[in-house]
Amino acid sequence: MTTGHSGSSSRKRYHRQRQKKDLLNAILEGFCDTFGMGGAALFLSATDSNEYRAAAIQECRGGGCIFSKGNPLIGYMKNERKIFNIRDNVHAIADQNRDFFERSGTVLTVPLYSGDEVAGFIALARPLHEKEVYTYEDYDLMKTLARQAYSLILNLRLSDELSQAREMEMMGRISSFVIHDLKNLMSSLSLLVQNAADHINNPDFQQDMLQSLGSTIGGCRR
């Protein structure tokens, strides 16, 4: 009663994880190439907590940092609907996240919005030209790319959830078949035990019993 579904599911999960990793890395590479950055990190809101954790990292040392939804950096991006620039000297944000900014060399954080909420953000670090000045045109392009990036991430997430739902449905069907087979095998064994009480000394019955047990074991191994 074994099935190749488990191996198939594992391959599908691996493929989805690989697809997600490639997509997130491509997003960071695109931002780095477009805006001349030496590193970047993509932080996404965790579905099971009020934290933002790194989902992808490109040459960025601050990827291990965790941001709570109460962090002033998150509050700034949510309330101001703006890209945060470390050079704007917003001291409350810089001070509370000093370790992150110093370790990673991040100069800009580009928010990813889901409605009114900050679904995540892209940290852009170590500009290739340290004295680069970012204009409103740069910010507008970053916001446009961020919207497109989050749309791709959301589509991949929805596709992943749909695939998982289909796998759960398939597992339910397989379980039903397995339970049905087990009930049939148990019925055969139960009948065999009942007849054994009366015919165990009969050589013909003994031979039939051995054959039946062998068939039952073979059925369990399929």
Side-chain angles (χ1 to χ4, degrees), residues 75-132:
Y76 176 89
M77 291 186 291
K78 178 181 179 179
N79 298 327
E80 301 295 329
R81 309 288 293 187
K82 291 169 61 177
I83 293 169
F84 176 76
N85 188 331
I86 189 66
R87 297 168 182 168
D88 289 342
N89 295 320
V90 183
H91 297 294
I93 297 175
D95 290 345
Q96 186 159 334
N97 299 284
R98 186 171 301 281
D99 180 62
F100 167 71
F101 285 113
E102 289 182 352
R103 273 205 296 157
S104 65
T106 294
V107 295
L108 299 168
T109 60
V110 184
L112 306 175
Y113 293 111
S114 176
D116 294 331
E117 298 298 320
V118 178
F121 62 92
I122 296 172
L124 300 178
R126 305 195 326 277
L128 301 181
H129 303 285
E130 292 186 6
K131 295 183 179 181
E132 183 79 34

Side-chain angles (χ1 to χ4, degrees), residues 110-219:
V110 184
L112 306 175
Y113 293 111
S114 176
D116 294 331
E117 298 298 320
V118 178
F121 62 92
I122 296 172
L124 300 178
R126 305 195 326 277
L128 301 181
H129 303 285
E130 292 186 6
K131 295 183 179 181
E132 183 79 34
V133 176
Y134 301 100
T135 66
Y136 286 107
E137 287 81 3
D138 293 322
Y139 289 148
D140 287 341
L141 180 56
M142 289 178 192
K143 291 177 181 178
T144 298
L145 293 178
R147 285 194 296 269
Q148 294 174 349
Y150 186 66
S151 177
L152 292 172
I153 293 170
L154 186 59
N155 286 338
L156 186 62
R157 181 179 294 174
L158 293 175
S159 176
D160 188 42
E161 291 175 355
L162 179 60
S163 296
Q164 291 182 29
R166 287 175 176 169
E167 285 184 14
M168 291 299 295
E169 181 183 2
M170 182 61 70
M171 286 299 296
R173 292 179 181 178
I174 292 174
S175 297
S176 297
F177 286 124
V178 170
I179 291 171
H180 181 266
D181 286 347
L182 286 175
K183 285 182 177 180
N184 288 338
L185 294 173
M186 287 297 295
S187 296
S188 298
L189 290 174
S190 178
L191 182 61
L192 192 63
V193 171
Q194 291 176 14
N195 290 333
D198 297 325
H199 306 289
I200 191 63
N201 293 322
N202 186 325
D204 291 335
F205 175 79
Q206 293 173 5
Q207 187 66 30
D208 289 342
M209 181 179 68
L210 290 174
Q211 291 178 355
S212 297
L213 288 174
S215 297
T216 301
I217 293 172

Side-chain angles (χ1 to χ4, degrees), residues 19-118:
Q19 188 179 28
K20 178 181 179 180
K21 181 179 179 181
D22 290 344
L23 172 64
L24 299 186
N25 285 334
I27 289 171
L28 292 184
E29 289 174 5
F31 269 85
C32 287
D33 291 344
T34 302
F35 301 104
M37 296 291 170
L42 171 60
F43 290 81
L44 294 175
S45 175
T47 56
D48 57 349
S49 69
N50 291 322
E51 297 175 336
Y52 296 82
R53 297 174 180 266
I57 303 170
Q58 288 274 341
E59 302 294 332
C60 185
R61 293 184 179 179
C65 293
I66 299 172
F67 297 83
S68 70
K69 289 193 174 180
N71 189 295
L73 175 61
I74 305 301
Y76 176 89
M77 291 186 291
K78 178 181 179 179
N79 298 327
E80 301 295 329
R81 309 288 293 187
K82 291 169 61 177
I83 293 169
F84 176 76
N85 188 331
I86 189 66
R87 297 168 182 168
D88 289 342
N89 295 320
V90 183
H91 297 294
I93 297 175
D95 290 345
Q96 186 159 334
N97 299 284
R98 186 171 301 281
D99 180 62
F100 167 71
F101 285 113
E102 289 182 352
R103 273 205 296 157
S104 65
T106 294
V107 295
L108 299 168
T109 60
V110 184
L112 306 175
Y113 293 111
S114 176
D116 294 331
E117 298 298 320
V118 178

